[in-house]
């Protein structure tokens, strides 16, 4: 009901003259005839009405009968359901790839229909265009490749990027997702094949944040690969050379960032799936210079923090109790360290203590075990979280997960290691002895086979009175007698679209810690108490547009408060500042401008005059 009220408010705003300019008018197309039919941005297939067929030189190029958008939609969904029936009993990988192919073919034909189908069925299709299937697609990308999507900048393009960027056909770009393919999900270095990740993330942007699909740009920076198997694969589509390192590497990224900034100074660049050393280095290098963020470090941190705070509420305890939670993080990579940093800042904020004091409740484990100050060659990025041996009586440098869990009896065991099954039966059983009345297990690594444990194993071994979250989706677990073990999806998809949306609407030229914190706090307070008490920490993926609008509004307001909002389109900084004082209008503005974009699927096409 409240959603309807909100949409009504949005359309009232839309009727006001000031904002009507933000609603897209007829779509101007610079092509004619068959060129339009072969361009997924504009193609409506058999949906072109006769008037448009005449105007755009399409008469005779299509069968005479006009099939409406709705009919085309139904036809696609029927094909999809037939595919499901026809592939029953086949191996999961075969079925998943077949589903990805049919969706991808639709994308390559008719983007508008593709996004409509995706938006309406996001819960069902997210696992295909995003994790876990996107991982499989990246692994097989060179064989699956049919048509290019996005842009490829390689080490061989050094010195050319400033002109290459103008090869992209869209005049405006709002969102770029960029990878170098060096750490694709938990699958390691996949070189150029990692392009599937920016494509999947940007599909989520369109579906969740309503970003105009003609203003997104997936980018692969191909600096080589150290994956020997790919280097030897004769179908491999990337550079056949080892990865660039050091200054050579950074000079490629620098050149790309300068080129993007020169053409689209307001575009937001999301760094995705970079190996840890470059994830941290590039964040430090660019965050005060360009409008960018690293999703694996910063987006993941916010989602995990929201889940950790939800876990406190699930125990029936006040949020202030977060400062007493013992949390073991397994995985000291870009994601695990990002989570620790943000969680420690939250403890310091809640308790008013120093960050140094706030660290005492957190334990970090990597591939060599518990990280302490006694570690030889301690990674500087992990050093701030290393335990002083004096503070961990009964544990030593390099202690195993099971030793740490048995000794600490943590409230939360959180995995971002990329290692499937590492929370084995013994570890999960040890979590039964947690000091918490309702312990939590976060198996956040992706894709599914890299999750630290499955949902079934978690409930079976760690007990039914437990909160469970995973990075990739699992089915809820039937615990018998009508009781359901709820599976949460702790994935940065709940934050990155809102971070991008809020930043875009604000027109800020930077993404600050304050804006990211606002995003995390918004997600943390999204769930109602009654759901949280049932162990439901995050909303269903079905609600992703609503969550994204809320998060976007929170990020936008934080930008206004930090006086970074320069405005977007007709809406200037003064108007944003004024609107942000009345939260209801502010949210309505967000809903109207972007979330409505994708509802306008049948925009009439007009010729360029
Ligand atoms: N759910 C979500 O939203 C997100 C999930 N992830 C997932 O997190 C995983 C890690 O990502 P990054 O931190 O970027 O990777 P990374 O490669 O930077 O770090 C992996 C860490 O795991 C540790 N590790 C490896 N083997 C281990 C073992 N046997 N025991 C304990 N620790 C071990 C490594 O020492 C390293 O510290 C990936 O699977 C990725 O898909 C990453 C970002 C977001
Ligand atoms: C979800 C995500 O960003 C990752 O697994 O890397
Ligand atoms: Mg990622």
């Amino acid at each position: 009901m409240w959603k309807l009220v909100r949409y009504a408010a949005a359309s009232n705003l839309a009727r006001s003259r000031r904002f009507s300019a933000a609603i897209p008018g007829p779509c101007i197309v610079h092509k004619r005839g068959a060129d339009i039919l072969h361009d997924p941005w504009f193609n409506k297939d058999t949906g072109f009405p006769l008037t448009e067929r005449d105007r755009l030189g399409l008469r005779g190029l299509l069968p005479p009968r006009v099939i409406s958008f709705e009919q085309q939609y139904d036809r696609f969904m029927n094909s999809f359901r037939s595919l499901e029936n026809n592939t029953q009993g086949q191996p999961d990988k075969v079925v998943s790839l077949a589903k990805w192919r049919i969706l991808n073919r639709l994308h390559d034909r008719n983007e508008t229909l593709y996004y409509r189908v995706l938006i309406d069925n996001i819960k069902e299709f997210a696992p295909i265009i995003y994790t876990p299937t996107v991982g499989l697609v990246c692994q097989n990308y060179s064989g699956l490749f049919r048509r290019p999507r996005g842009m490829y900048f390689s080490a061989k393009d050094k010195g050319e990027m400033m002109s290459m960027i103008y090869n992209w056909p869209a005049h405006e770009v709002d969102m770029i997702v960029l990878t170098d393919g060096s750490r694709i999900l938990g699958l390691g270095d996949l070189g150029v094949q990692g392009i599937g990740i920016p494509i999947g993330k940007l599909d989520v942007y369109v579906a969740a944040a309503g970003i105009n699909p003609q203003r997104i740009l997936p980018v692969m920076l191909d600096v080589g690969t150290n994956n020997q198997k790919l280097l030897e694969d004769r179908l491999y589509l990337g550079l056949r050379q080892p990865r660039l390192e050091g200054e050579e590497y950074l000079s490629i990224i620098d050149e790309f960032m300068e080129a993007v900034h020169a053409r689209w100074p307001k575009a937001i660049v999301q760094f995705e799936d970079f190996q840890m050393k470059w994830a941290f280095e590039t964040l430090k290098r660019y965050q005060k210079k360009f409008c960018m963020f690293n999703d694996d470090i910063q987006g993941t941190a916010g989602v995990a923090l929201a889940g950790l705070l939800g876990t406190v509420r699930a125990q029936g305890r006040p949020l202030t109790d977060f400062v007493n939670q013992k949390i073991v993080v397994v995985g000291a990579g870009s994601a695990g360290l990002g989570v620790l940093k943000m969680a420690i800042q939250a403890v310091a904020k809640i308790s008013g203590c120093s960050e140094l004091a706030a660290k005492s409740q957190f334990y970090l484990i990597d591939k060599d075990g518990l990280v302490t100050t006694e570690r030889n060659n301690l990674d500087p990025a992990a050093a701030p979280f290393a335990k002083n041996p004096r503070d961990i009586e009964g544990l030593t440098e390099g202690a195993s997960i099971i030793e740490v869990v048995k000794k600490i009896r943590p409230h939360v065991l959180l995995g971002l290691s990329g290692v499937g099954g590492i929370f084995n039966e013994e570890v999960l059983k040890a979590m039964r002895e947690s000091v918490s009345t309702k312990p939590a297990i976060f198996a956040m690594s992706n894709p599914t086979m890299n999750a630290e444990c499955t949902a079934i194993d978690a409930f079976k071994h760690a007990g039914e009175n437990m909160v469970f979250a995973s990075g990739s989706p699992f089915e809820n677990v039937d615990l018998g007698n009508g009781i359901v073990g709820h599976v949460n999806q702790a994935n940065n998809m709940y934050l990155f679209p809102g971070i991008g949306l809020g930043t875009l609407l604000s027109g800020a030229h930077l993404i600050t810690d304050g804006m990211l914190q606002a995003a995390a706090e918004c997600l943390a307070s999204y769930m109602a108490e009654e759901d949280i008490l049932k162990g439901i920490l995050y909303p269903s993926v079905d609600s992703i547009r609503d969550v994204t609008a809320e998060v976007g509004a929170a990020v936008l307001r934080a930008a206004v408060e930090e006086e970074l909002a320069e405005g977007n389109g007709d809406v200037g900084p003064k108007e944003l500042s004024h609107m942000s004082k009345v939260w209801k209008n502010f949210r309505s503005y967000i809903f109207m401008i972007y979330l409505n974009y994708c509802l306008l699927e049948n925009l009439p096409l007009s010729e360029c005059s």
Side-chain angles (χ1 to χ4, degrees), residues 103-178:
L103 273 167
N104 194 50
R105 281 200 301 268
L106 176 62
H107 172 272
D108 289 348
R109 247 185 1 254
N110 182 338
E111 221 179 67
T112 314
L113 184 58
Y114 170 76
Y115 283 116
R116 178 77 265 153
V117 163
L118 184 59
I119 288 167
D120 287 357
N121 302 279
I122 185 69
K123 189 156 186 222
E124 182 175 1
F125 290 163
I128 305 171
I129 56 115
Y130 191 57
T131 184
T133 304
V134 72
L136 194 57
V137 170
C138 289
Q139 287 175 309
N140 295 284
Y141 179 77
S142 294
L144 291 168
F145 181 87
R146 294 293 177 275
R147 285 172 65 115
R149 261 179 98 172
M151 285 193 85
Y152 300 79
F153 294 81
S154 90
K156 298 265 185 287
D157 297 318
K158 196 159 166 35
E160 302 294 329
M161 294 185 198
M162 199 59 91
S163 58
M164 280 169 76
I165 199 88
Y166 286 89
N167 290 345
W168 186 246
H171 291 296
E172 294 297 337
V173 164
D174 290 334
M175 272 311 311
I176 293 173
V177 178
L178 168 72

Side-chain angles (χ1 to χ4, degrees), residues 183 201 272-273 296 492:
R183 191 287 277 148
K201 292 268 175 185
E272 195 69 51
D273 289 9
D296 298 296
N492 51 30

Side-chain angles (χ1 to χ4, degrees), residues 277-421:
K277 66 176 176 185
W278 294 129
F280 283 117
E281 178 68 31
T282 49
L283 182 59
K284 196 168 89 194
R285 196 172 176 95
Y286 303 128
Q287 67 182 341
K288 299 249 159 61
K289 195 167 173 203
F290 298 112
C291 193
M292 59 81 65
F293 70 107
N294 183 297
D295 183 39
D296 298 296
I297 301 173
Q298 298 169 299
T300 312
V303 167
L305 177 60
L308 293 174
L309 293 172
T311 304
V312 181
R313 289 167 69 199
Q315 294 163 13
R317 317 228 16 121
L319 274 185
T320 46
D321 207 48
F322 184 51
V323 303
N324 301 317
Q325 301 273 307
K326 295 187 199 180
I327 296 170
V328 173
V329 174
V330 181
S334 49
L337 297 184
V339 170
L340 271 175
K341 181 171 174 242
M342 199 174 207
I344 289 168
Q345 281 169 349
V347 170
K349 193 172 165 191
I350 293 170
S351 65
C353 70
S354 69
E355 284 191 21
L356 191 66
K359 283 176 194 168
S360 65
Q361 302 295 102
F362 295 89
Y363 298 78
L364 177 64
I365 297 176
D366 72 0
K367 65 178 183 347
D368 299 318
L370 182 65
V371 180
T372 72
T373 50
E374 284 187 345
R375 171 80 54 102
N376 291 333
N377 301 322
L378 178 59
D379 189 322
F385 313 105
K387 284 279 178 213
N388 187 323
R390 274 201 317 268
D391 303 332
I392 48 166
E393 206 186 315
L395 288 171
T396 52
E397 158 59 37
S400 65
I401 304 178
I402 185 68
E403 286 170 332
V404 175
V405 169
K406 278 191 169 161
K407 178 74 194 163
I408 304 301
R409 300 167 60 209
H411 295 74
V412 181
L413 178 63
L414 186 151
L416 280 163
S417 64
V419 183

